Every structure is written in C-alpha cells, then in structure tokens.
Amino acid sequence: KIDSMENILLSTKNDSIKIILLHDLAWEYRRTIPERAFTLSKKALSLAIQLNDKSQIAKSYSRIASCHYNQGNIEKAKENYLLSLNLYQELGKKRETALMLSNIGNVYGELSNYPLALEYFLKGTKIFEEQKDSISIARNLINIGVVYHDLKDEQEYLEYNFKALAIFEKLNDDYGLLGCLSNIGSLYLEQKNTKEALKYLSRCEKILEQSCK
C-alpha cells in the first residue's frame, strides 16, 4: 500500500492528488517514521497554501500537529491543532471541527490542564451528538473518563466508562468493549473489589476468546 502511494506521488503532476497522497502517507508513517511523516505534512501544507485550498491547509496543520504530538512536542501540537480547528470552524466542517476539539482535549490532558481538557472534550462530544456519530461519542466519553482518572475522581471515571460501554454494546464494537471493560475491571481491582473486577475482566476474556476462533 505505502509503496504504491509513494510511486503514484512520484509520477503524478496533479497537485491536488499530491496533497491527498502526502496526507495519507504522513498518516501511515506517523508512528513508524515520524520524521518522514513531518516532512510529507509540511510539503502538503506548502502545496495547499499555493492552491489556497483551506480544507487541505487545515488537514496539513492537523497532520503536522499529530507528528509533534507523537514526538512529545505538546505545545507545538497544540499550536497546529488550533490552526486546523480555526480553519475547519471557518469552513463549517462539523465533524473535522469536533475531531480537532477532541485532539486539543488530549493535548491539554497531556499538559495536565484538566479543566481545559474537559472543556474541549465536551465541546467535541456535543458536535458528535449533533452528528449522531455514536462511535466518536463513545471514544470521547472514554477520554473524559481518563481526565477524571488523572484527577483521582474514580466515580466519574467509572460513570463515563459505563456510558461508553453502553454505546459500544449497542454497536457490537468488540474493540471498544474491550477498552471499557478493561478500564472498569482494572479500577475495581485497584479498589480491591475482586468480585466486580472479575465480572468485567471475564467479559474481556470471552471477547478475546471469540475473536481467536
């Protein structure tokens, strides 16, 4: 897949296609070769600016932010996510706006600015609710739970994981279920509530067993 995209990137003369390929390749490389992902994202940004394509400029800033985030440059990640957010808001792109709000929530969580992390996660969740994007709502509920876990508020942490769990159950999303069940079971273990811990962790085991069949 990556080799194919690299070959098309070398051969195409269409700048709009180049930008799409640069973004896609940057996403593929973001964890394995972050320096390559960063270079590709900056090339995409340069081309998008030349074409005055605000949507692709916003995506480039998002890709650059992801590169910074994965390399631990949290302040730079925040700066670029905010640039992306502002453009998506200007363009009226709701889903992309919600994703950037959520990414910024993650950034503020990393910076231990929990009030702002919650503010951005909740703003993103509200838009996902308007869009009826159930899986993104559930993922954000888990993110909000993580903030409360960092704040040592175990009750809120459980509450948000239970809310996410209910959504993942309706969606039959095994990956999401595993995350929630593991979070809930692990917290009960920390609380030395073995009975409840086993209840949720055993469900994890069953899902994993079924997935291996």
Side-chain angles (χ1 to χ4, degrees), residues 74-75 105-117 147 150-151:
I74 307 302
E75 285 291 346
N106 279 320
V107 164
Y108 278 120
E110 287 290 327
L111 294 170
S112 300
N113 189 332
Y114 302 121
L116 276 178
V147 175
D150 290 341
L151 289 168

Side-chain angles (χ1 to χ4, degrees), residues 67-182:
C67 293
H68 282 304
Y69 187 87
N70 289 330
Q71 291 180 307
N73 302 322
I74 307 302
E75 285 291 346
K76 280 287 184 183
K78 181 181 76 171
E79 178 184 319
N80 282 278
Y81 277 136
L82 284 167
L83 288 168
S84 181
L85 171 66
N86 290 337
L87 280 170
Y88 280 135
Q89 286 177 323
E90 180 185 326
L91 294 167
K93 288 182 169 280
K94 293 288 188 179
R95 174 170 168 73
E96 289 82 357
T97 294
L99 288 169
M100 291 310 107
L101 288 167
S102 303
N103 287 335
I104 295 166
N106 279 320
V107 164
Y108 278 120
E110 287 290 327
L111 294 170
S112 300
N113 189 332
Y114 302 121
L116 276 178
L118 288 173
E119 180 182 327
Y120 276 90
F121 281 136
L122 289 168
K123 283 180 180 177
T125 303
K126 184 178 179 183
I127 296 173
F128 287 136
E129 287 171 347
E130 291 169 1
Q131 300 284 300
K132 296 181 169 53
D133 184 346
S134 296
I135 196 160
S136 295
I137 294 167
R139 287 170 180 164
N140 255 15
L141 292 172
I142 291 175
N143 288 331
I144 293 168
V146 169
V147 175
Y148 280 114
H149 188 270
D150 290 341
L151 289 168
K152 313 299 182 191
D153 190 332
E154 295 178 351
Q155 192 56 45
E156 287 292 322
Y157 175 69
L158 282 174
E159 183 178 328
Y160 278 95
N161 272 279
F162 278 125
K163 286 179 180 178
L165 179 63
I167 294 172
F168 285 129
E169 284 175 334
K170 286 181 182 176
L171 296 172
N172 291 314
D173 185 316
D174 284 347
Y175 184 78
L177 283 170
L178 281 170
C180 290
L181 293 167
S182 175

